[in-house]
Amino acid sequence: MKPVCLIIGAGAGVGGNVGKRFAREGYHVALCRRTDEEGLARLVSEIESAGGSASGYLLNAVEENSIEDRITAIEEDIGPIDVVVYNLGAQVGDRPLEETSYKVFELGWRMGTFGLFRVASTVCPRMQERGHGVLLVTSSTAAMRGNAGQHSHAAAMGGRRMLCQSLNAQYGPKGIHVAHIVIDGAVDAPDTLGRMLGPEKFQQLRETQGANDGLLRPEEVAETYWHLASQHRSVWTHELDLRPFSTLPWWNH
Amino acid sequence: MKPVCLIIGAGAGVGGNVGKRFAREGYHVALCRRTDEEGLARLVSEIESAGGSASGYLLNAVEENSIEDRITAIEEDIGPIDVVVYNLGAQVGDRPLEETSYKVFELGWRMGTFGLFRVASTVCPRMQERGHGVLLVTSSTAAMRGNAGQHSHAAAMGGRRMLCQSLNAQYGPKGIHVAHIVIDGAVDAPDTLGRMLGPEKFQQLRETQGANDGLLRPEEVAETYWHLASQHRSVWTHELDLRPFSTLPWWNH
Amino acid sequence: MKPVCLIIGAGAGVGGNVGKRFAREGYHVALCRRTDEEGLARLVSEIESAGGSASGYLLNAVEENSIEDRITAIEEDIGPIDVVVYNLGAQVGDRPLEETSYKVFELGWRMGTFGLFRVASTVCPRMQERGHGVLLVTSSTAAMRGNAGQHSHAAAMGGRRMLCQSLNAQYGPKGIHVAHIVIDGAVDAPDTLGRMLGPEKFQQLRETQGANDGLLRPEEVAETYWHLASQHRSVWTHELDLRPFSTLPWWNH
Amino acid sequence: MKPVCLIIGAGAGVGGNVGKRFAREGYHVALCRRTDEEGLARLVSEIESAGGSASGYLLNAVEENSIEDRITAIEEDIGPIDVVVYNLGAQVGDRPLEETSYKVFELGWRMGTFGLFRVASTVCPRMQERGHGVLLVTSSTAAMRGNAGQHSHAAAMGGRRMLCQSLNAQYGPKGIHVAHIVIDGAVDAPDTLGRMLGPEKFQQLRETQGANDGLLRPEEVAETYWHLASQHRSVWTHELDLRPFSTLPWWNH
């Protein structure tokens, strides 16, 4: 039986590419995303064509029980989940306080912080029983510092980061590797950044930045996710940052 | 007309003492706490006996509209709020993940992060119109790093810290001073720490640590709050830490 | 006998103004600076005219034994040093790596890190014997993050910050208050920033930023130094930042 | 011609193992260490026996021109240096301030900060001309926070970290990957930790912690160094931490 890698937030960017990478290593990849059934089916069939094993699920992470039920079903139907990649963004677009409704602020928390808490609550006790597991958490600049227009996003991501540290403190010694991955730049991903900017602006950005290496290439991001998951447990990374060579880190300007 | 200082979380520890300090400087102090009407009345009358001006309100900060309505009423009935002290803890006691229910996790966020967002959403636009204002936010070690047993608390406080930085980025240049105060030690406060530990253990802790200066004395904490509020706007502090001389900082052990 | 406050780096900016502030509180202020005997004498006489007590010394902090001998002499001739303000910059101007000579890099360290170590080595054991003391260390953005052109400055200031934390860990529990003050903006100081920019550019900057509050006013910075020195030992701040309301913090852009 | 990987600090722990790892990937590895010619020769021959290419040099990094001359000679005699691993510790043992002589403090700086500056000054301009290069810098907990007994070590490592950030800001956009690697735990290395503790205490520690995975296994650390060096330049990590699963991070206790 193949070990299972569950990816929550499996679009054509980081999530999908991490899925492909783990499938190549012999994992069954359970791919979840909120919408775009067609894109999801395409991803599954790409993985299968390459000789891998995958299944796809539409999942609305903010819906009650959605995450919990999916995890339970996968564990029962497919097998023990060895790796979870929590790859949901909580980006609601730059907006000043007066345009950040309570609903938007709460939605940021539900995706950014609470969803991860629900995942961990469901999966960590199982992993602890088995003595091992990996929880890779995609995060962002906003987890490191707040900024104007980031009221919802930064609060959600700051919560995410502190939650990762709390999970690590409890579960690291139990053999569960929790890693917080700070993506500090724009990812060359058509269905997140691309959709946010629109196709024209996105292509423009790609060209300005250098289409080949000015934005984070998601298949290369996946290499680092894979590296994290394969670190020997005497040498674990809890936090690292990722950005293109041409992008200044968040602490510079 | 006296300027108004609103304190959300005005018990016998930091909140109440900050209230007394601002009252001595000529502020009308609007004191809010969730329970203990008697304690609240006592605090008001202590301030008044000392020649100050104060009013007290029971306020359940997690209740819908409670904060918003209180702010509106104070602005209408008493006067413009110049200083807000957000002093609500989000401590739910050390508890491992499996004992942290979704409800507890959410409650942490409602007190720790969302309550501050609601305060800011209501009061910052008013302060911006007036061209000045102060928002002093009590925070804690858990805003700086997660720890075992701190899943809810650290996520809530990490969110609080990032929200403070976001508010500062938008509102600093508009003349609103946002300060994030990291209380990195135990406060000598009978109705928070004291209640959490019980009277015996609390007294024991006080004596072990040095009853006079081993726990943060809240009336001395208030001196720093007052200093922050009185900083000239060419010299603002956004973040500082506070702990007893005998306590190692969170980054040491 | 008046308690003594020793200021290393006492120009017309932060150092001199902190001196005036402590003199007003009843300290004898021992003012040290490398050059400008006339400016030094003027500062002493300003303090004396205002009813305070001060003495001035030319001191080249990078010279062997200069700091040590001065401290010993002051302790013998004037009295026990209660407060030291280490206010030496280590700014060598923005310069790329290829223009940063070994000599410049080392000079940065001598002023930025080693000078403070020498001060602490000389004065902390004395303070420890007396059971109290204050060490206020002026620092800068470069202590928090490196940047292009800051190879020498950031290395020196990063070392300074870590040294402050080490000193605090050893000496805090002995009653010595070590504070690391991150000045994250330009100070309205004619003889540091002014000299670096030249009078015309300096005046231009002052006007662009807002002559009244767009640069840190050193006499207001002094208020925070005084506050730190007067914190009760149950409520000590180890680190805080200072910047004008109109300046974005280093973590934003 | 093989690309060259220069390792400064190539003992039997992290340095030597990183050497072996890069040799396996086709690099010529130039190994430098201060003493133990025999151990150095053994390492070279181990690499050669495994089909790799290596050369060994005794190098006293604090000696004038030692680093500079070695780099120049390697570039002339062997080929362009593609990767530098700066793996010199600056650990002088835990010692309180009064036992930290000026000489010890300066030595910490010479190994911890200045040595890296000399390496960068010599090699970065060459790498920049070639449009690529990698600088992997081993660092430690002391780069993140000072502690009692760490006056020299933390100042040196804090300087190292800020220098890495400064180098990254200037040279990242030129194609040079600078990575700061925070080793936040004890490495299972006989000739650094082993020598510091003595053979008996070292073996005891190994057994207490779990001989297999309770200390960082240097050959596994090398995997992460290799991963960093092979990251695509659209996805670079500047900083990561490494520790055994069973070790609490520096921010917890």
Side-chain angles (χ1 to χ4, degrees), chain A residues 68 97 102 146 151 165 170, chain B residues 68 97 102 146 151 165 170:
Chain A
E68 296 79 353
L97 189 69
Y102 287 5
H151 306 284
Q165 293 187 4
Q170 179 173 348
Chain B
E68 297 80 352
L97 189 68
Y102 287 4
H151 306 286
Q165 293 188 3
Q170 178 173 349

Side-chain angles (χ1 to χ4, degrees), chain B residues 35-93:
Chain B
T35 55
D36 188 7
E37 198 154 11
E38 203 183 293
L40 187 60
R42 205 180 320 122
L43 187 56
V44 169
S45 84
E46 271 175 50
I47 289 174
E48 288 175 341
S49 307
S53 165
S55 48
Y57 313 91
L58 290 184
L59 177 142
N60 181 352
V62 304
E63 209 172 76
E64 217 177 330
N65 293 322
S66 59
I67 293 173
E68 297 80 352
D69 291 350
R70 178 51 54 214
I71 289 175
T72 309
I74 290 171
E75 289 255 338
E76 277 172 19
D77 302 343
I78 308 184
I81 298 171
D82 215 49
V83 179
V84 178
V85 179
Y86 191 78
N87 188 50
L88 280 193
Q91 186 50 284
V92 293

Side-chain angles (χ1 to χ4, degrees), chain C residues 68 97 102 146 151 165 170, chain D residues 68 97 102 146 151 165 170:
Chain C
E68 296 80 353
L97 188 69
Y102 287 4
H151 305 286
Q165 294 186 3
Q170 179 173 348
Chain D
E68 297 79 352
L97 188 70
Y102 288 4
H151 306 285
Q165 293 187 4
Q170 179 173 347

Side-chain angles (χ1 to χ4, degrees), chain A residues 24-53:
Chain A
R24 269 169 46 203
E25 299 288 340
Y27 283 77
H28 174 86
V29 184
L31 303 154
C32 303
R33 58 179 301 172
R34 192 168 57 88
T35 54
D36 188 7
E37 198 154 10
E38 204 182 293
L40 186 60
R42 206 181 318 124
L43 187 56
V44 169
S45 83
E46 272 176 49
I47 288 175
E48 290 176 338
S49 305
S53 167

Side-chain angles (χ1 to χ4, degrees), chain D residues 163-219:
Chain D
L163 178 55
C164 285
Q165 293 187 4
S166 301
L167 292 170
N168 176 64
Q170 179 173 347
Y171 288 106
K174 308 296 184 191
I176 302 177
H177 184 181
V178 180
H180 180 255
I181 301 156
V182 180
I183 298 201
D184 182 33
V187 178
D188 190 0
D191 58 355
T192 45
L193 185 63
R195 216 177 42 195
M196 202 189 290
L197 296 178
E200 239 171 289
K201 270 200 171 167
F202 179 53
Q203 188 52 28
Q204 213 178 329
L205 177 71
R206 294 187 74 237
E207 282 162 22
T208 322
Q209 298 289 319
N212 194 43
D213 54 21
L215 303 177
L216 290 122
R217 285 169 55 170
E219 73 275 18

Side-chain angles (χ1 to χ4, degrees), chain C residues 122-194:
Chain C
T122 314
V123 92
C124 286
R126 294 170 186 267
M127 289 176 168
Q128 177 173 349
E129 245 174 66
R130 299 191 284 255
H132 57 92
V134 181
L135 181 49
L136 302 177
V137 182
T138 304
S139 192
S140 71
T141 319
M144 308 305 284
R145 58 112 179 84
N147 209 345
Q150 295 280 305
H151 305 286
S152 168
H153 191 218
M157 288 312 206
R160 181 179 288 193
R161 183 171 182 242
M162 290 300 103
L163 178 55
C164 285
Q165 294 186 3
S166 301
L167 292 169
N168 175 64
Q170 179 173 348
Y171 289 105
K174 309 296 184 191
I176 304 178
H177 184 180
V178 181
H180 180 255
I181 302 156
V182 180
I183 299 201
D184 182 34
V187 178
D188 191 0
D191 59 354
T192 46
L193 185 63

